Amino acid sequence: MTKKKKDNLVVFGFLVVPVILLFMFSYYPLAKLFELSFSDWNGLTVDYNYVGSKNYLEVIGQKELWKVFANNAAYIIVALLQQFVGLFLAILLNCKLRLKNFFRGIIFLPYIINGVAVVFMFNYMYDYSNSPVNYILGLFGGSAIHFLGASYGSNFALAFISFWRYVGYTMVIYIAALQSIPSDVYEAAMMDGAGFWQTVLHITMPNIKGMFKISLLLSINGAFQAYFEPYMITKGGPNGRTDTFITKTLSLAFDFQKYGKAAVMGVLLLIIILLLVLVQNVFLKDGDSK
């Protein structure tokens, strides 16, 4: 056997196992999800009772679907804000600044804190009666805030938990991207009289566009799949005011045993993410592509 054939055999051997695992734990469950979305399976029977497109028509026609989309919009807005704040912090802490490693560690610290601990902490912070924020406002004559009331603002309060926890992670991603840009490029730009915003727009952003696209996609994808905070704190209440796409999906499946409709929600989420990738590629395509 020649050396080239041996090398090809080794490569093939290393690829076989990952591909098998990918089909077993990704593509096969995805195919079953599509199959399940055309049935009214209740989670108990062995066989599926296929109902065609009935589940899709009922889910799309429900007002609750558009309500959870509106709730998720708060998470998407905060996710976009997280990207720009994380980028700003990365640019700031990538400069020659004293104690920059200390500040990097402080900002990144929330990401490594246990998620349940973070939720319980913010649950205390948002408590109307015992919130230290409302206590401080009261000292200055301000009115107490219903962070988790019946208003739409409750979704922003819950989304802020993710912002606080992940903005440091976003910052670290951008710092890694910024460190790949040669420092002499910035020095040449400053010698030519370029200001801070000019270097950001014409040097920083073009050089980190690939990382920006990935980070933005992951962040918005996470916003669409927001689950942990509303489930742990409000259970989607009051009256569905803080229900997100995922909490509504889980409620359909495990509370009402409507696995077919829950599968439809999963398929719709997949379609939304694919459309998001398409739109992002259109608006953030590389300028040098031909």
Side-chain angles (χ1 to χ4, degrees), residues 36-279:
L36 187 60
S37 68
F38 292 100
S39 73
D40 61 355
W41 188 54
N42 60 6
L44 299 175
T45 59
V46 177
D47 299 324
Y48 296 160
N49 179 32
Y50 295 101
V51 294
S53 60
K54 179 183 176 182
N55 288 334
Y56 284 90
L57 296 176
E58 290 184 357
V59 169
I60 294 174
Q62 288 179 347
K63 293 182 180 180
E64 288 80 1
L65 176 65
W66 309 109
K67 188 176 181 180
V68 297
F69 273 132
N71 293 341
N72 271 104
Y75 292 85
I76 295 172
I77 293 171
V78 173
L80 294 174
L81 179 63
Q82 172 190 316
Q83 290 298 309
F84 291 105
V85 173
L87 178 58
F88 175 76
L89 291 173
I91 294 173
L92 187 64
L93 295 177
N94 195 49
C95 300
K96 295 179 180 178
L97 184 71
R98 292 184 62 184
L99 300 177
K100 66 179 181 181
N101 290 331
F102 170 77
F103 289 112
R104 287 177 183 177
I106 292 297
I107 297 173
F108 184 72
L109 182 62
Y111 177 71
I112 62 177
I113 298 177
N114 181 272
V116 176
V118 171
V119 168
F120 275 106
M121 179 185 70
F122 272 92
N123 193 30
Y124 171 67
M125 295 287 290
Y126 289 159
D127 185 84
Y128 179 73
S129 302
N130 302 313
S131 170
V133 178
N134 285 336
Y135 176 75
I136 295 173
L137 289 175
L139 292 179
F140 291 94
S143 301
I145 302 174
H146 282 280
F147 290 100
L148 300 175
S151 67
Y152 183 77
S154 301
N155 294 294
F156 284 101
L158 293 171
F160 178 76
I161 301 175
S162 295
F163 173 89
W164 181 84
R165 189 179 179 198
Y166 290 104
V167 69
Y169 174 76
T170 305
M171 176 197 69
V172 169
I173 289 178
Y174 285 131
I175 287 177
L178 290 172
Q179 290 180 346
S180 66
I181 305 174
S183 59
D184 55 356
V185 177
Y186 288 104
E187 294 173 359
M190 286 187 289
M191 290 179 63
D192 289 337
F196 173 77
W197 291 110
Q198 289 176 314
T199 57
V200 170
L201 292 175
H202 300 291
I203 297 177
T204 302
M205 291 307 297
N207 281 281
I208 67 168
K209 181 181 285 187
M211 185 63 74
F212 180 76
K213 289 168 63 176
I214 294 173
S215 181
L216 181 63
L217 176 62
L218 293 175
S219 186
I220 297 180
N221 180 41
F224 272 113
Q225 299 189 50
Y227 153 74
F228 193 69
E229 295 83 5
Y231 180 79
M232 291 288 293
I233 296 180
T234 64
K235 302 294 183 183
N239 297 322
R241 171 53 68 186
T242 57
D243 249 333
T244 62
F245 201 92
I246 298 300
T247 60
K248 189 66 177 178
T249 303
L250 294 176
S251 177
L252 283 172
F254 299 106
D255 293 339
F256 299 99
Q257 284 72 50
K258 296 181 179 179
Y259 289 89
K261 291 184 178 180
V264 171
M265 297 282 283
V267 172
L268 291 177
L269 181 61
L270 175 63
I271 295 173
I272 291 170
I273 299 301
L274 291 176
L275 290 175
L276 174 66
V277 173
L278 179 62
V279 171

Side-chain angles (χ1 to χ4, degrees), residues 5-21:
K5 288 184 178 180
K6 288 182 179 179
D7 292 340
N8 291 336
L9 186 61
V10 171
V11 172
F12 179 78
F14 275 106
L15 288 176
V16 167
V17 175
V19 170
I20 292 176
L21 293 175

